[in-house]
Amino acid sequence: LSALFARFNMDYCAIRQKWAWIVNFEKKKKIRYTNCTGMNFLLVDDSEIELKVTGNLLEKNNCKITKVRSGSECIIKVIDKPFDLILMDDQMPNLSGVETIENIEQIDGFKTPIILLTNAKDKDLQDKLSKSKNIIGYLRKPVDKYELNELLKKVTKKGDK
């Protein structure tokens, strides 16, 4: 029995040591932010926390960010000025993200790419993504900085800074 316990303890320690190395490697992995200097992004989310967290991630890419908390505010902002990218929460009260997108796509000349911010399951997500030609991708909440950066590279078609 003691031999079995000793073997188990050695295996456990080895696994724990390898796991710690993997976790530390991931923490040390550097991100090269996409240079979005001069670009205007519209961030739409009803959650103040999500606005702050996602806004902080976007600021590391040197873009200008306008934050709004509802679909109706988004529509007003889009009418007022053009944006290079819209990041839209899909679950907001009153006017959902998809409903907001349907409304802004009716504006003449609207061609702004949209990234959907979602908590949706895969089955629901495919339906939402198919509703708009302007949705170029999605990010699950909480937003991951690596995934965000990859989508920004596609949108900007620029190199890293």
Side-chain angles (χ1 to χ4, degrees):
L1 189 61
S2 63
L4 181 62
F5 179 73
R7 176 72 183 153
F8 170 77
N9 196 29
M10 283 179 18
D11 289 344
Y12 172 75
C13 290
I15 291 169
R16 199 169 124 203
Q17 187 176 20
K18 286 179 184 177
W19 180 251
W21 181 85
I22 291 168
V23 169
N24 286 334
F25 177 76
E26 285 297 316
K27 286 181 183 175
K28 291 178 184 175
K29 191 163 81 171
K30 299 257 183 194
I31 184 169
R32 294 180 57 133
Y33 291 101
T34 303
N35 187 358
C36 300
T37 302
M39 298 185 82
N40 293 310
F41 293 173
L42 178 61
L43 178 57
V44 187
D45 202 313
D46 60 313
S47 165
E48 192 66 41
I49 293 170
E50 290 292 337
L51 282 174
K52 186 171 185 163
V53 170
T54 307
N56 287 342
L57 291 175
L58 288 169
E59 286 171 355
K60 293 180 180 181
N61 294 286
N62 297 324
C63 59
K64 295 178 185 171
I65 307 160
T66 303
K67 300 176 187 177
V68 296
R69 295 192 64 191
S70 71
S72 55
E73 286 181 68
C74 172
I75 294 167
I76 292 167
K77 290 290 184 186
V78 169
I79 290 170
D80 285 347
K81 78 178 211 181
F83 290 93
D84 298 301
L85 175 68
I86 298 173
L87 293 97
M88 175 84 63
D89 179 19
D90 74 330
Q91 295 177 342
M92 295 183 289
N94 300 326
L95 204 56
S96 75
V98 173
E99 292 168 335
T100 303
I101 292 168
E102 289 171 355
N103 281 297
I104 60 177
E105 286 181 333
Q106 294 176 13
I107 298 169
D108 286 337
F110 180 81
K111 295 179 183 171
T112 305
I114 300 168
I115 295 175
L116 200 61
L117 305 175
T118 185
N119 291 322
K121 303 282 186 242
D122 289 335
K123 195 185 303 181
D124 301 332
L125 187 57
Q126 290 307 316
D127 184 46
K128 290 177 182 182
L129 293 175
S130 67
K131 291 189 183 226
S132 168
K133 64 184 184 296
N134 291 343
I135 297 177
I136 59 160
Y138 70 92
L139 293 168
R140 294 202 189 277
K141 291 198 226 174
V143 173
D144 178 80
K145 65 183 175 183
Y146 298 104
E147 292 174 10
L148 173 62
N149 196 51
E150 288 304 310
L151 276 175
L152 291 179
K153 284 179 187 176
K154 291 178 185 177
V155 170
T156 61
K157 295 179 179 78
K158 293 182 180 179
D160 299 329
K161 71 172 189 179

